Amino acid sequence: MPLKKRLYEIIFEADTPRGKVFDVALLVVILISILLVLLESVPSINARHRSALRIMEWVITGIFTVEYFIRILVVKHPFRYVTSFYGIIDLLAVVPTYLSLVFVGSQSLAVIRAIRLLRIFRIFKLNRYTMAGKNLTLAMKASREKIFVFLFFVINVVLIVGTLMYLIEGPENGFTSIPTSIYWAIVTMTTVGYGDISPQTPGGQLLAGLLMIAGYAIIAVPTGIVTAEMIRSSPHQNTQVCPHCLHDKHEDDARYCKKCGGKLN
Amino acid sequence: MPLKKRLYEIIFEADTPRGKVFDVALLVVILISILLVLLESVPSINARHRSALRIMEWVITGIFTVEYFIRILVVKHPFRYVTSFYGIIDLLAVVPTYLSLVFVGSQSLAVIRAIRLLRIFRIFKLNRYTMAGKNLTLAMKASREKIFVFLFFVINVVLIVGTLMYLIEGPENGFTSIPTSIYWAIVTMTTVGYGDISPQTPGGQLLAGLLMIAGYAIIAVPTGIVTAEMIRSSPHQNTQVCPHCLHDKHEDDARYCKKCGGKLN
Amino acid sequence: MPLKKRLYEIIFEADTPRGKVFDVALLVVILISILLVLLESVPSINARHRSALRIMEWVITGIFTVEYFIRILVVKHPFRYVTSFYGIIDLLAVVPTYLSLVFVGSQSLAVIRAIRLLRIFRIFKLNRYTMAGKNLTLAMKASREKIFVFLFFVINVVLIVGTLMYLIEGPENGFTSIPTSIYWAIVTMTTVGYGDISPQTPGGQLLAGLLMIAGYAIIAVPTGIVTAEMIRSSPHQNTQVCPHCLHDKHEDDARYCKKCGGKLN
Amino acid sequence: MPLKKRLYEIIFEADTPRGKVFDVALLVVILISILLVLLESVPSINARHRSALRIMEWVITGIFTVEYFIRILVVKHPFRYVTSFYGIIDLLAVVPTYLSLVFVGSQSLAVIRAIRLLRIFRIFKLNRYTMAGKNLTLAMKASREKIFVFLFFVINVVLIVGTLMYLIEGPENGFTSIPTSIYWAIVTMTTVGYGDISPQTPGGQLLAGLLMIAGYAIIAVPTGIVTAEMIRSSPHQNTQVCPHCLHDKHEDDARYCKKCGGKLN
């Protein structure tokens, strides 16, 4: 078997023993490299092991770079791979370290490698997980408009309430500008509530209270949207295909095709 | 074509090329004017560019004022427009700047112009979005009573718990008055939790803990209300009955009964 | 018509003009008296108008006391009224003021009068609201066990995590005792997050992070419980009674009684 | 009746009077022992009653130890008991106190005894509660994959946003390291919002605002997942088909078809 084909099998396929070994090894290396980034950012650790961390970081980046180019060489449609989701992630996984030569600290961005872990699902044939992921994405897609409208509404609220608070409380109470007040409104409406800025005047506290209750009730909207969507897209539908008209979305309890009336198996 | 009719077409209609251009231009101006308000409120920026910002603000307000009057002139039923939702918003969009001559700072209220952006949906024929908006509003309307009852309940809880905390913790722990304590109760029950006021005594912390768990569980109520409503108003199943087997509950796209295969009307 | 009957009509009935006037007046007085309690607790206001507030407070309490006794006198079954929900509330509405003669400050508890506002729904014949209230209560009742089990689980989690944090962080980081740590765990798990106590050590922050994500996901449980219940108890059921077997819970689409098979009207 | 059998009946069975007494006594002792742990950790109380608390703690541990061994002696399959859920909990309930001889403070871990309270449900024959518990667990199990995928997504978000904030805000604003920034991201996304760390720069506040709105909307996902699952597993409708008109979807308590009035099997 030609080298290229063998490499392809190892790197891209996960069901051959060699392929599995490679993928698992890859996952381990990814996890290590993320750990490196975290550790490197901790002053105390960085002070002691700086150089060691940097070296390992470069070694791993080297491995990923080589891997990336091999992938391009062995894949059937290099361009399609490079422009694919995985292809872009694989590239972004190595760029930060090289960037760090120009922009100090940018190597931290290598945490984006975490996304590469998505391969876990493929390797371990966790189809039910990929299915679950698909379902979630579908539900989100289906409620796209509703969520967009909802966000438009939220943005208007924080914009207006933020401005009112700026006028009511003013800079002396920490609402130093309208953008800051809008930031406060978001912090409050989403019930995060840092407390770094908080209303001091009775009027401000009243308005804040109304905003909180609004946010507390409004959270119901996105939840309702997504939930309704998920219930609709819930596995009451199966994928059997009608032998007569090839229509393929039938409910579990369907005995006849709802399109052509033909009997389902 | 008379001028009035041409103007009407440009200003009110969005499907003619001229109309679209006008609306898009309008959106851009609105966004700029909001940006101006935000920037003007930032001390550092205001210090340097005050006059420039004020001038641009007045220019834009001028544009909006002219636009508003033209709308009144060219529309068929001026009164109906003036009293319509959009008419009121269009007016409120210019008032603040003029008010700022009397009340310093009131120009900030011009952020209300954000609501004018609602036109986006009309311009770009985002019917599915307007539909989504309608659905949301309907779901909210349908659960109006439930939500009202829920709020009545919440208000009673914060009123009573707030008073109890005032008696338990007292002014020395920041619960300076019952209104303040009620404010704290809202901050806590909605899980915002600024921490600007927080219980110090064991008794107070116990009561606070109960309130938190209550709030944590009670959030389920509005969510449940809205979700149930949205599922009910979900447009997927219709109620036509199969003439052959009397099976009801068919999907909108069903042409044959999935139970007996009979043709649906 | 004897005085007693007239009084009964005025006080207990809301559909006679006199009855309505009385009830509305009552609501106004209740709102005023709550406002009084709030104002009295504000130091600045109290300093200036103490006596005036106290006098009004006593006047209103007098009115409520008289009203309470009249209710007992004119009602058909005094005992049943006194022991009824409204009877108890009406009593609790006057007690605090008298208590304040013994325990200073207890008059604040008069805020409990807010509950008397429940009568609003009866007065204005807001049956749809009382229905909504009933539905909510039913949904809550129906999910009683689930919520109880859920709380049992939550209590165990905060108990154990709280203890662990006490051991990890210790008094020097604000976790002065296990009860305090449990209080912190509740504040964190319910996503209130005051920040008056927060983990300082990496270990503590890791555990806290896990607790937060848990709390963030676990909120789904009560929501799911209540929502599922509400959908189930949603007005797919009507209240028509079967003419044959008097069974009274039928779904909207029922044409025959599911108990005795008799035709429904 | 041999001693062993009698003991078995008392300790393991809850429906004999003796068994019930034993179990209730056990519950009381468990509650007391947890209270002891809490009190012992309170400095002021500990200072005064240290020895008394320690003694009671040892007495109770002694009781539990004896109980544990008796359980092993009298149960039919000792090994199966020891390795069962309850067996492990019963063991963990005594270990901490003995550990405290080696590791000071570890006795606090005795709070794990709270889990033993699960027996409440068995003792008081709260089958509906155990059912409820089962339902909840099932719903959770059924949405296992979805929740896992969701967590994978959340972890990626906090990892990347955390790193970005570390680069934007930097140590001088409290984001001392990437792990700390990730901790902040979790605190923010879950809407806990301690405020011990909060963004100071406009850029940081903007990113934080986006993360909050994301977290505020994303909470909808686990909620949707669990709710959809619970509704699906809601035990109200069964799927028996009417032999006369083939109508399915009958409620559990239906004896006649609500469509054609025919008798159901």
Side-chain angles (χ1 to χ4, degrees), chain D:
Chain D
M1 182 163 69
L3 175 65
K4 182 174 172 179
K5 201 173 170 330
R6 272 231 303 297
L7 279 170
Y8 178 84
E9 199 182 284
I10 296 170
I11 296 180
F12 279 91
E13 281 170 27
D15 28 25
T16 63
R18 276 222 221 64
K20 206 176 198 88
V21 170
F22 174 82
D23 279 334
V24 173
L26 194 61
L27 293 184
V28 175
V29 179
I30 293 170
L31 287 174
I32 292 174
S33 74
I34 292 171
L35 198 64
L36 285 178
V37 175
L38 299 195
L39 293 177
E40 193 190 349
S41 74
V42 181
S44 57
I45 297 172
N46 196 345
R48 273 188 276 94
H49 313 290
R50 178 186 209 75
S51 47
L53 290 166
R54 299 299 291 136
I55 290 163
M56 289 171 70
E57 169 62 13
W58 273 108
V59 172
I60 290 174
T61 309
I63 297 170
F64 285 166
T65 317
V66 174
E67 178 216 349
Y68 180 65
F69 284 114
I70 296 181
R71 280 180 185 274
I72 295 177
L73 290 176
V74 301
V75 78
K76 281 180 208 60
H77 312 281
F79 182 73
R80 198 182 295 164
Y81 162 70
V82 172
T83 55
S84 72
F85 173 73
Y86 277 121
I88 293 162
I89 295 298
D90 293 346
L91 179 60
L92 290 178
V94 293
V95 171
T97 323
Y98 295 108
L99 269 181
S100 69
L101 296 174
V102 194
F103 310 103
V104 179
S106 61
Q107 69 269 24
S108 315
L109 293 171
V111 289
I112 201 167
R113 288 165 186 173
I115 299 175
R116 295 194 76 188
L117 296 172
L118 267 172
R119 287 200 168 84
I120 294 174
F121 299 115
R122 213 197 57 215
I123 299 168
F124 299 114
K125 300 250 163 305
L126 302 172
N127 295 328
R128 299 172 55 216
Y129 287 88
T130 27
M131 274 306 300
K134 280 214 179 59
N135 283 348
L136 287 182
T137 339
L138 278 176
M140 295 317 250
K141 273 225 186 74
S143 35
R144 198 165 58 260
E145 294 92 355
K146 285 217 183 76
I147 286 174
F148 184 93
V149 173
F150 172 72
L151 287 180
F152 181 86
F153 174 75
V154 168
I155 288 166
N156 269 285
V157 171
V158 293
L159 199 60
I160 291 166
V161 175
T163 308
L164 287 174
M165 286 303 278
Y166 171 72
L167 295 175
I168 296 172
E169 291 281 331
E172 62 277 21
N173 292 335
F175 294 76
T176 51
S177 72
I178 292 181
T180 311
S181 304
I182 292 171
Y183 165 72
W184 167 86
I186 295 172
V187 171
T188 300
M189 190 175 188
T190 56
T191 78
V192 170
Y194 283 137
D196 52 352
I197 312 169
S198 67
Q200 304 304 326
T201 67
Q205 296 186 334
L206 181 63
L207 182 56
L210 295 176
L211 181 62
M212 287 168 205
I213 291 177
Y216 184 61
I218 286 170
I219 182 93
V221 175
T223 315
I225 295 167
V226 175
T227 309
E229 216 35 73
M230 287 186 172
I231 289 164
R232 218 164 294 147
S233 71
S234 94
H236 263 228
Q237 280 196 334
N238 61 41
T239 56
Q240 66 178 306
V241 178
C242 166
H244 312 287
C245 72
L246 302 179
H247 177 77
D248 64 346
K249 295 252 177 63
H250 295 287
E251 292 194 312
D252 291 342
D253 61 348
R255 283 208 308 278
Y256 290 87
C257 173
K258 65 187 178 186
K259 282 292 161 214
C260 71
K263 185 109 187 56
L264 298 175
N265 326 354

Side-chain angles (χ1 to χ4, degrees), chain A residues 188-220:
Chain A
T188 300
M189 190 175 188
T190 56
T191 78
V192 171
Y194 283 136
D196 52 353
I197 311 169
S198 68
Q200 304 303 326
T201 67
Q205 296 185 333
L206 181 63
L207 182 56
L210 295 176
L211 181 62
M212 287 169 205
I213 291 177
Y216 185 61
I218 286 171
I219 181 94

Side-chain angles (χ1 to χ4, degrees), chain A residues 191-264:
Chain A
T191 78
V192 171
Y194 283 136
D196 52 353
I197 311 169
S198 68
Q200 304 303 326
T201 67
Q205 296 185 333
L206 181 63
L207 182 56
L210 295 176
L211 181 62
M212 287 169 205
I213 291 177
Y216 185 61
I218 286 171
I219 181 94
V221 175
T223 315
I225 295 167
V226 175
T227 309
E229 215 36 72
M230 286 186 172
I231 289 163
R232 218 165 295 150
S233 72
S234 73
H236 287 309
Q237 279 200 336
N238 60 40
T239 55
Q240 66 177 305
V241 178
C242 166
H244 312 286
C245 72
L246 302 178
H247 176 74
D248 65 350
K249 273 226 183 83
H250 298 288
E251 292 193 310
D252 289 342
D253 61 348
R255 286 206 306 278
Y256 291 87
C257 172
K258 67 187 178 185
K259 282 292 163 213
C260 71
K263 186 109 186 56
L264 298 175

Side-chain angles (χ1 to χ4, degrees), chain A residues 144-146 148-150 152 156 159-160 163-164 166-167 176-179 182 184 187-188 191-200 205-206 208-209 212-213 216-221 223-225 227-228 231-232 237 247 249 251 253-261, chain B residues 34 37-38 41-43 105-106 108-109 111-112 114-115 117-118 120-121 128-129 132-133 135-136 140 150-151 154 180 183 186-187 189-194 196 214-216 218-219 222-223 226-227 230-231 234-237 251 253-261:
Chain A
R144 196 165 61 260
E145 295 92 356
K146 285 214 183 78
F148 183 93
V149 173
F150 172 72
F152 181 87
N156 269 284
L159 199 61
I160 291 166
T163 308
L164 287 174
Y166 172 72
L167 295 175
T176 51
S177 72
I178 292 180
I182 292 171
W184 167 86
V187 170
T188 300
T191 78
V192 171
Y194 283 136
D196 52 353
I197 311 169
S198 68
Q200 304 303 326
Q205 296 185 333
L206 181 63
M212 287 169 205
I213 291 177
Y216 185 61
I218 286 171
I219 181 94
V221 175
T223 315
I225 295 167
T227 309
I231 289 163
R232 218 165 295 150
Q237 279 200 336
H247 176 74
K249 273 226 183 83
E251 292 193 310
D253 61 348
R255 286 206 306 278
Y256 291 87
C257 172
K258 67 187 178 185
K259 282 292 163 213
C260 71
Chain B
I34 292 170
V37 175
L38 299 195
S41 75
V42 181
S106 61
S108 315
L109 294 171
V111 290
I112 201 167
I115 300 175
L117 296 173
L118 267 173
I120 294 175
F121 298 115
R128 300 171 56 217
Y129 287 88
N135 282 349
L136 288 182
M140 296 317 249
F150 172 72
L151 286 180
V154 168
T180 311
Y183 165 72
I186 295 172
V187 170
M189 190 176 189
T190 57
T191 78
V192 171
Y194 283 137
D196 52 353
Y216 185 61
I218 286 170
I219 182 92
T223 314
V226 175
T227 309
M230 288 188 172
I231 290 164
S234 94
H236 264 230
Q237 279 195 336
E251 291 196 312
D253 60 348
R255 282 207 309 278
Y256 290 87
C257 173
K258 67 187 179 187
K259 282 294 161 210
C260 71

Side-chain angles (χ1 to χ4, degrees), chain A residues 83-140:
Chain A
T83 56
S84 72
F85 173 74
Y86 277 121
I88 292 160
I89 296 299
D90 293 346
L91 179 59
L92 290 177
V94 293
V95 171
T97 322
Y98 295 108
L99 269 181
S100 69
L101 296 174
V102 193
F103 310 101
V104 179
S106 61
Q107 70 268 23
S108 314
L109 293 171
V111 290
I112 201 167
R113 288 167 185 170
I115 299 175
R116 295 194 76 189
L117 295 172
L118 267 172
R119 287 203 169 81
I120 294 174
F121 299 114
R122 211 195 60 214
I123 300 169
F124 299 115
K125 301 247 165 307
L126 304 171
N127 295 329
R128 298 172 56 217
Y129 287 88
T130 27
M131 274 306 300
K134 280 213 179 59
N135 283 349
L136 288 182
T137 340
L138 277 176
M140 294 318 248

